[in-house]
Amino acid sequence: DVKVTQSSRYLVKRTGEKVFLECVQDMDHENMFWYRQDPGLGLRLIYFSYDVKMKEKGDIPEGYSVSREKKERFSLILESASTNQTSMYLCASKPTGTPGTEAFFGQGTRLTVV
Amino acid sequence: AQSVTQLGSHVSVSEGALVLLRCNYSSSVPPYLFWYVQYPNQGLQLLLKYTTGATLVKGINGFEAEFKKSETSFHLTKPSAHMSDAAEYFCAVTRSNDYKLSFGAGTTVTVRA
């Protein structure tokens, strides 16, 4: 069974902290994504990676960075957390090949910045 | 650029009634279209997708959707709602030359007994 695992379901962090959100997939997928989900806005793409050490900005990259040192792991980094980054964060992976192949999602990390 | 519009942020239906969720997209190249469902406190699960071929596609849990190129639409339907269909539904699109998914704002479905 396909699996995308996010390291935390719930996180509470303080303003100004450096925050790491981790995502691991076991499907040998080349493409990995970080989305942010907010009510009324749907899912917005923060960053995606199409190969190890390769990354591309999505629609809302400001305040975020990413790291992909190994194929199975994709990390989202909030360099200095702010309250407006309180949100649900979803990781996804997708194989290269036919773009019509579905993306597989993790369970999400609900981050609260206080 | 591509975008997805879901009409109606909330839909309330009676158990046994038709469920209709509307999705319109804009894409400069032929799209691939998806419907995902999200149950409370969970990630997204694929309901169905359109890539090529038959424009009426069937998915899990009795859902189906029809791709209408002339209307740039991909509406989701289920003939008879069940209480377990209460969830949030997202329409998404990707272009044939891309891997990124663009999502609509989502539609929350509640089912009345």
Side-chain angles (χ1 to χ4, degrees), chain A residues 9-10 31 33 35 37 40-43 45 48 56-57 90 94-103 105-107 110, chain B residues 32 34 36 38 40-46 49-51 88 90 94-106:
Chain A
R9 293 294 303 273
Y10 301 94
N31 304 290
F33 308 82
Y35 287 91
Q37 182 181 6
L41 297 177
L43 279 72
L45 182 64
F48 85 101
E56 193 169 311
K57 291 180 180 179
L90 290 163
K94 187 174 180 178
T96 295
T98 305
T101 304
E102 70 183 271
F105 284 82
Q107 296 285 78
R110 189 167 293 281
Chain B
Y32 294 135
F34 305 80
Y36 283 87
Q38 185 180 36
N41 298 316
Q42 293 190 25
L44 273 67
Q45 177 184 356
L46 182 73
K49 64 179 181 181
Y50 170 79
T51 54
E88 189 161 19
F90 293 93
T94 188
R95 296 175 298 184
S96 57
N97 58 350
D98 201 351
Y99 292 101
K100 293 177 285 186
L101 275 171
S102 294
F103 284 85

Side-chain angles (χ1 to χ4, degrees), chain A residues 62-113:
Chain A
E62 296 78 19
Y64 303 94
S65 62
V66 291
S67 173
R68 190 151 179 219
E69 296 296 319
K70 293 185 177 181
K71 190 175 186 180
E72 66 271 18
R73 186 180 297 271
F74 191 35
S75 303
L76 179 69
I77 304 158
L78 286 66
E79 295 290 343
S80 178
S82 64
T83 55
N84 63 13
Q85 293 178 308
T86 292
S87 188
M88 170 73 94
Y89 291 87
L90 290 163
C91 175
S93 74
K94 187 174 180 178
T96 295
T98 305
T101 304
E102 70 183 271
F104 295 88
F105 284 82
Q107 296 285 78
T109 297
R110 189 167 293 281
L111 173 67
T112 302
V113 182

Side-chain angles (χ1 to χ4, degrees), chain B:
Chain B
Q2 54 195 16
S3 68
V4 181
T5 302
Q6 290 183 239
L7 296 176
S9 59
H10 289 89
V11 169
S12 179
V13 298
S14 298
E15 194 172 20
L18 171 73
V19 180
L20 170 60
L21 305 182
R22 299 178 188 275
C23 173
N24 288 88
Y25 69 91
S26 65
S27 177
S28 55
V29 297
Y32 294 135
L33 297 155
F34 305 80
W35 276 100
Y36 283 87
V37 61
Q38 185 180 36
Y39 298 104
N41 298 316
Q42 293 190 25
L44 273 67
Q45 177 184 356
L46 182 73
L47 271 179
L48 49 79
K49 64 179 181 181
Y50 170 79
T51 54
T52 59
T55 56
L56 181 64
V57 292
K58 295 185 184 299
I60 61 171
N61 302 337
F63 284 92
E64 62 182 38
E66 187 171 11
F67 169 58
K68 292 187 176 181
K69 186 177 179 181
S70 60
E71 299 177 8
T72 60
S73 69
F74 190 56
H75 301 331
L76 180 72
T77 59
K78 182 174 180 177
S80 178
H82 191 271
M83 298 299 286
S84 61
D85 295 326
E88 189 161 19
Y89 293 79
F90 293 93
C91 182
V93 61
T94 188
R95 296 175 298 184
S96 57
N97 58 350
D98 201 351
Y99 292 101
K100 293 177 285 186
L101 275 171
S102 294
F103 284 85
T107 299
T108 299
V109 173
T110 56
V111 183
R112 305 184 304 271

